[in-house]
Amino acid sequence: KAGVTQTPRYLIKTRGQQVTLSCSPISGHRSVSWYQQTPGQGLQFLFEYFSETQRNKGNFPGRFSGRQFSNSRSEMNVSTLELGDSALYLCASTAGSPGLGTQYFGPGTRLLVL
Amino acid sequence: AQSVTQLGSHVSVSEGALVLLRCNYSSSVPPYLFWYVQYPNQGLQLLLKYTSAATLVKGINGFEAEFKKSETSFHLTKPSAHMSDAAEYFCAVSDPSSGGGADGLTFGKGTHLIIQP
């Protein structure tokens, strides 16, 4: 069974631009969570989607948004990019609810904002 | 609110020596606990998890961890370190009682494991 895939793997943007990252969960998994990883703040929860509904969101500004499609694939969008948005963005999928099941992570998308 | 503390941002051991990575958690409810490993330029790989069954949990690559409620700890151990174990290790906690658990994982800051030849 294929793992979690994320595209693109690397991305360079400039301040003020917007970016969309994509995540395809493990087949059959309906829950997708997103995390931001930076050297200073570590791993921080962004949001979680289950059956196309955002069920919770971490402490991030409204510039960070996401959605989930009927096939469970998910996208996250960051608008008006800031230098501090440079990070590794990780997606994780779970067979059921992430609080109850195990989250399996993709390789991440490394975003560099110049 | 939950929190995770990993003692030691860097741990160095000799090849063949015992590996001990410390993790303490804070949670108002019985938690689920996880250890993940991250190799350079890769995502997180699950090593093992505790979900209220046996307190001693065995994982992949020879790692195991013991849940100690009285000490609120979930330390990760491996009897004999290999060079391939050099990586970043993260302890994480989730709250399985949060009505379907939509709060995500709360991670520790990570411990960088260095293996000396």
Side-chain angles (χ1 to χ4, degrees):
Chain A
K1 186 182 276 191
V4 178
T5 59
Q6 293 187 244
T7 57
R9 291 293 310 277
Y10 303 92
L11 206 50
I12 299 176
K13 292 286 187 179
T14 56
R15 280 180 297 175
Q17 288 186 310
Q18 73 167 16
V19 67
T20 299
L21 312 181
S22 180
C23 171
S24 293
I26 293 171
S27 177
H29 287 195
R30 298 168 60 192
S31 171
V32 173
S33 300
W34 289 88
Y35 294 83
Q36 182 195 63
Q37 184 178 24
T38 60
Q41 299 299 317
L43 281 152
Q44 295 183 284
F45 172 70
L46 277 159
F47 30 61
E48 186 261 341
Y49 288 87
F50 182 78
S51 295
E52 303 179 63
T53 301
Q54 184 184 94
R55 298 200 303 166
N56 203 2
K57 184 174 181 179
N59 188 25
F60 280 84
R63 300 185 296 107
F64 291 82
S65 63
R67 60 178 175 169
Q68 186 180 34
F69 302 94
S70 58
N71 61 358
S72 294
R73 190 178 69 86
S74 177
E75 290 181 346
M76 68 163 283
N77 183 276
V78 188
S79 62
T80 318
L81 284 166
E82 301 177 358
L83 296 179
D85 297 332
S86 295
L88 180 67
Y89 290 89
L90 292 165
C91 166
S93 76
T94 312
S97 163
L100 298 174
T102 299
Q103 295 192 30
Y104 294 92
F105 285 80
T109 293
R110 187 166 296 280
L111 172 65
L112 176 62
V113 181
L114 302 176
Chain B
Q2 301 166 295
S3 66
V4 176
T5 302
Q6 291 184 239
L7 296 176
S9 59
H10 290 77
V11 169
S12 180
V13 302
S14 299
E15 190 174 17
L18 172 71
V19 174
L20 171 60
L21 303 183
R22 300 178 187 274
C23 172
N24 288 88
Y25 69 91
S26 172
S27 177
S28 57
V29 298
Y32 285 179
L33 294 158
F34 306 82
W35 275 100
Y36 284 89
V37 61
Q38 186 177 35
Y39 297 99
N41 299 315
Q42 295 188 26
L44 302 176
Q45 180 183 10
L46 179 70
L47 280 176
L48 48 80
K49 62 181 180 181
Y50 166 77
T51 57
S52 73
T55 57
L56 182 62
V57 182
K58 295 187 182 299
I60 63 171
N61 301 340
F63 285 94
E64 64 180 36
E66 186 173 9
F67 172 69
K68 292 186 176 181
K69 182 179 179 180
S70 61
E71 299 177 7
T72 61
S73 69
F74 190 58
H75 302 330
L76 181 71
T77 60
K78 181 174 180 177
S80 176
H82 295 161
M83 295 299 292
S84 61
D85 294 328
E88 192 82 14
Y89 291 79
F90 293 93
C91 182
V93 62
S94 73
D95 175 7
S97 70
S98 61
D103 299 334
L105 291 168
T106 298
F107 285 90
K109 292 293 187 183
T111 297
H112 186 64
L113 178 61
I114 301 163
I115 311 296
Q116 305 280 6

